[in-house]
Amino acid sequence: MIGDSDLCPASYAGFLDNPIRRLLHSPVRIVGPYISPGDMVLDVGPGSGFFTRPMARIVGDGGCVVAADLQEEMLAMLLKRAEQEGLVSRIRTHRTSLHSLDLEGYGPFDFVLAFYVVHELPDAESFFIEVASVLRPGGRMLVVEPKLHVTEESFAETVKAAKAAGFSTEKPPGVLFSRTALLSKA
Ligand SMILES: C[S@@+](CC[C@H](N)C(=O)[O-])C[C@H]1O[C@@H](n2cnc3c(N)ncnc32)[C@H](O)[C@@H]1O
């Protein structure tokens, strides 16, 4: 169970969204292989949109990225940066609640990204069940967690929760300083 203190504060947004990280965690290299023009993408816990904006460039005008975050301040920063980059028309922001993504009416999605967020959620299994309900058959989800905060054992529990929700695993991409799982829905 998490409390407010486990949430990544909105004041960290600059730390997570900067040119140096773009070299280390190149969004195009990490998520590019799983997204195509016209896709519907869900970015869970996007923060200020470090991955949302590059994904919006890839999906193009025919696609859409739904950025679903618990914190209004993060979504406001995301929209500001997206506006500066002319990407607002391809992005929809959505405020979640702590215990649910509240995604009724959204989807089906082709791809879901959960980058450095699952360890902040109160219940991984219900999260994966909820994601499975909005992902299209054959759709994929990439889960990335920071090695600094998430032990190997804890990440194995996360993958177990995903499998319990019906996901199978594929070979994931390597991401610096991180543990990764590439999940697919039958
Ligand atoms: C460490 S930040 C990662 C941001 C982004 N994915 C990145 O890699 O730059 C975690 C984000 O997850 C969000 N978050 C935490 N709990 C959430 C929940 N229950 N639903 C949606 N977002 C949540 C936080 O508000 C924060 O923006």
Side-chain angles (χ1 to χ4, degrees):
M1 195 68 166
I2 70 157
D4 282 355
S5 59
D6 299 304
L7 264 187
C8 172
S11 54
Y12 277 31
F15 176 71
L16 287 167
D17 196 345
N18 64 67
I20 292 173
R21 185 178 179 207
R22 239 181 303 288
L23 292 176
L24 302 174
H25 282 171
S26 160
V28 171
R29 182 188 67 75
I30 295 171
V31 297
Y34 313 114
I35 305 174
S36 303
D39 276 357
M40 282 289 296
V41 171
L42 173 63
D43 189 0
V44 180
S48 61
F50 179 80
F51 286 93
T52 314
R53 298 178 333 261
M55 292 197 292
R57 282 195 196 90
I58 297 173
V59 300
D61 283 333
C64 180
V65 182
V66 175
D69 205 287
L70 185 61
Q71 299 187 78
E72 195 60 56
E73 300 97 306
M74 290 292 198
L75 294 174
M77 269 185 273
L78 187 155
L79 274 182
K80 193 172 166 198
R81 291 181 187 210
E83 253 166 40
Q84 288 163 349
E85 296 177 23
L87 293 167
V88 168
S89 63
R90 302 174 187 179
I91 294 173
R92 269 183 80 180
T93 54
H94 170 74
R95 179 102 185 259
T96 67
S97 56
L98 181 59
H99 294 279
S100 170
L101 297 174
D102 295 329
L103 285 172
E104 295 77 21
Y106 288 94
F109 292 99
D110 299 288
F111 178 74
V112 178
L113 178 67
F115 205 109
Y116 286 7
V117 63
V118 174
H119 64 283
E120 295 190 15
L121 304 178
D123 180 350
E125 190 161 341
S126 65
F127 166 68
F128 287 116
I129 291 169
E130 215 177 342
V131 169
S133 73
V134 292
L135 191 62
R136 70 163 168 80
R140 284 169 163 154
M141 173 178 196
L142 179 63
V143 177
V144 184
E145 289 283 78
K147 280 188 177 165
L148 193 63
H149 298 303
V150 178
T151 63
E152 200 175 340
E153 294 73 25
S154 170
F155 192 66
E157 286 300 311
T158 295
V159 173
K160 197 169 153 194
K163 286 181 173 171
F167 285 98
S168 43
T169 52
E170 296 181 38
K171 188 176 185 302
V175 176
L176 272 181
F177 318 124
S178 309
R179 307 188 192 284
T180 56
L182 181 62
L183 309 172
S184 55
K185 178 178 160 178

